[in-house]
């Protein structure tokens, strides 16, 4: 079970690390973090470094493709080398997935045309510009393509994917292993529910 995460400077770390913590527990999981070149990549905040263990050129197939988002995803929307690689890996994959604005890369690669999909709330118009039909769900399944909304929803997506691959008992065991039992102190986790003051605070930064 080869699970491949393309990583790049400017990614949102939790987009990759959240699903990784779940999917690495799948039976016979072989997780690969791939980048243009093997070596370190820095997250969008410039404070955290992840290490790519392989170059894109060295990865020719995957069972599961997980495309993270972040500022770096938007910056790579015109990167034809990356988009071509995503298309090639998608052609081999049983499951092609994205987290947050990673769906924009799937869209730019032409993989979401006429499909329902989700992304971070700030990128809905851009997602639809690639021919996708945005839907305000946390996880959206369209056959073998699964998209997750912003950042933390990647964990939900990975648990659902684990259920589809290994069954509900395994998925529940993985959820228990990471003690994923969300009880947030505020009900502000989606754009429709967040108070205006929180939206204004983000807009001012």
């Amino acid at each position: 079970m080869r699970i491949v995460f393309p990583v790049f400077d400017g990614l949102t770390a939790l987009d990759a690390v959240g699903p990784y913590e779940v999917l690495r527990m799948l039976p016979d999981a072989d997780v690969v973090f791939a980048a243009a070149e093997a070596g370190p990549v820095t997250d969008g905040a410039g404070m955290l470094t992840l290490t790519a263990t392989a170059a894109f050129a060295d990865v020719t197939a995957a069972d599961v493709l997980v495309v993270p988002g972040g500022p770096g995803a938007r910056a790579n929307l015109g990167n034809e080398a990356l988009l071509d690689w995503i298309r090639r890996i998608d052609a081999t994959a049983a499951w092609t997935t994205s987290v947050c604005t990673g769906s924009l890369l799937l869209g730019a690669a032409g993989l979401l045309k006429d499909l329902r999909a989700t992304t971070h709330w700030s990128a809905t118009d851009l997602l639809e510009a690639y021919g996708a039909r945005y839907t305000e769900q946390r996880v959206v399944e369209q056959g073998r393509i699964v998209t997750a909304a912003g950042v933390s929803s990647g964990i939900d997506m990975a648990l659902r994917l684990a259920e589809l691959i290994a069954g509900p008992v395994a998925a529940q065991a993985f959820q228990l292993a990471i003690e994923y039992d969300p009880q947030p102190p505020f009900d502000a986790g989606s754009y429709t529910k967040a108070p205006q003051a929180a939206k204004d605070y983000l807009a001012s930064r």
Side-chain angles (χ1 to χ4, degrees):
M1 177 64 64
R2 170 163 275 204
I3 303 160
V4 177
F5 292 79
V7 292
F8 38 78
D9 286 331
L11 87 164
T12 295
L14 189 60
D15 287 4
V17 174
Y20 160 77
E21 282 295 339
V22 174
L23 299 177
R24 69 178 179 81
M25 290 186 277
L26 284 169
D28 300 317
D30 171 27
V31 179
V32 178
F33 287 85
E37 297 180 357
V41 297
T42 304
D43 80 322
M47 298 181 186
L48 180 67
T49 298
L50 298 177
T51 300
T53 54
F56 292 141
D58 299 325
V59 180
T60 59
D63 296 294
V64 178
L65 175 65
V66 184
V67 181
R74 294 178 190 247
N76 276 291
L77 292 177
N79 183 342
E80 283 301 323
L82 174 58
L83 298 179
D84 284 345
W85 180 85
I86 288 173
R87 293 183 196 105
R88 291 198 304 272
I89 301 303
D90 168 71
T92 73
W95 300 96
T96 292
T97 73
S98 66
V99 182
C100 195
T101 51
S103 61
L104 300 181
L105 289 169
L106 296 186
L111 302 180
L112 298 181
K113 186 172 176 56
D114 297 325
L115 297 183
R116 291 187 302 110
T118 191
T119 191
H120 191 273
W121 54 262
S122 67
T124 58
D125 290 346
L126 187 50
L127 179 69
E128 292 193 326
Y130 289 117
R133 301 195 306 273
Y134 171 73
T135 181
E136 192 179 337
Q137 290 176 238
R138 197 157 166 85
V139 178
V140 177
E141 297 175 41
Q142 291 281 268
R144 63 182 193 82
I145 294 182
V146 185
T147 55
V151 192
S152 64
S153 63
I155 299 174
D156 295 36
M157 182 275 292
L159 287 168
R160 172 59 176 153
L161 196 59
E163 178 186 12
L164 292 169
I165 293 170
V169 173
Q172 291 169 38
F174 301 165
Q175 181 176 357
L176 177 59
I178 64 172
E179 200 169 348
Y180 182 55
D181 186 21
Q183 299 174 38
F186 307 106
D187 190 21
S190 75
Y191 195 81
T192 55
K193 294 190 294 184
Q196 188 60 46
K199 299 173 188 177
D200 292 344
Y201 181 85
L202 285 181
S204 69
R205 295 177 66 83

